[in-house]
Amino acid sequence: MNGPDQADSAPLTVSSPDLSGGRFPREFTCDGADRLPRLRWSTPPPGTQELAIEMLDPDAPGGTFTHWLVYGIPPGISSLAAVPAGAAEGVNDFGRRGYRGPCPPRGAAHHYHFVVLALGTRLGLEAGARRSDLESRISGHVLGRGEVVATYQRA
């Protein structure tokens, strides 16, 4: 993501035990059960008020495609396997709220980025926000940023 504050943010270490080897297993894609992979990240910087996560596919034919948005995550949480209480999900580019895994056209592998953002403010976004809403609200408030990238290629 070449978003606001990227150069000024502290790094977060992000990983997923489900995306070993940098690849999406079928069960986390539209060709499988479309399950959300587990994510883990390092302690966010002091002053973090909330966390947000974007899952993006910059290789999509029409430009960066949003697969998942979640925000309002309490800063004390350092992993997730499901959306935590109090957090909200935005609308993805499939036009629905929640996670939707990789579902690229057949052909070349796509790279999927789970971006974890540590924010120095509470966004106050209601469920159902779009990526443009999220990114306009985080401008000037990113204290830390990290990502894990995995690929998926449909046969």
Side-chain angles (χ1 to χ4, degrees):
M1 174 179 107
N2 292 324
D5 311 321
Q6 183 174 341
D8 299 331
S9 63
L12 287 171
T13 302
V14 182
S15 65
S16 173
D18 297 321
L19 304 176
S20 64
R23 297 191 189 283
F24 262 94
R26 185 180 176 99
E27 70 186 276
F28 301 104
T29 73
C30 70
D31 295 320
D34 221 4
R35 290 188 23 225
L36 173 67
R38 296 169 292 170
L39 298 171
R40 297 179 183 147
W41 53 88
S42 58
T43 302
T48 298
Q49 297 294 305
E50 84 174 60
L51 299 165
I53 301 172
E54 299 175 311
M55 181 189 162
L56 307 171
D57 173 6
D59 301 322
T64 300
F65 193 91
T66 303
H67 282 262
W68 187 48
L69 297 172
V70 61
Y71 39 86
I73 301 169
I77 291 177
S78 61
S79 66
L80 62 82
V83 177
E89 292 179 291
V91 173
N92 58 38
D93 285 343
F94 291 102
R96 62 177 212 164
R97 203 178 303 169
Y99 173 82
R100 179 77 193 269
C103 200
R106 297 196 192 301
H110 283 221
H111 298 81
Y112 297 88
H113 299 247
F114 282 97
V115 181
V116 178
L117 301 160
L119 306 172
T121 190
R122 292 199 173 117
L123 299 177
L125 278 174
E126 297 292 325
R130 298 212 171 263
R131 184 169 153 234
S132 59
D133 300 326
L134 175 69
E135 291 191 350
S136 69
R137 291 274 184 102
I138 69 173
S139 181
H141 300 290
V142 178
L143 302 177
R145 179 188 186 285
E147 67 181 73
V148 62
V149 179
T151 62
Y152 184 67
Q153 182 175 9
R154 294 178 89 183

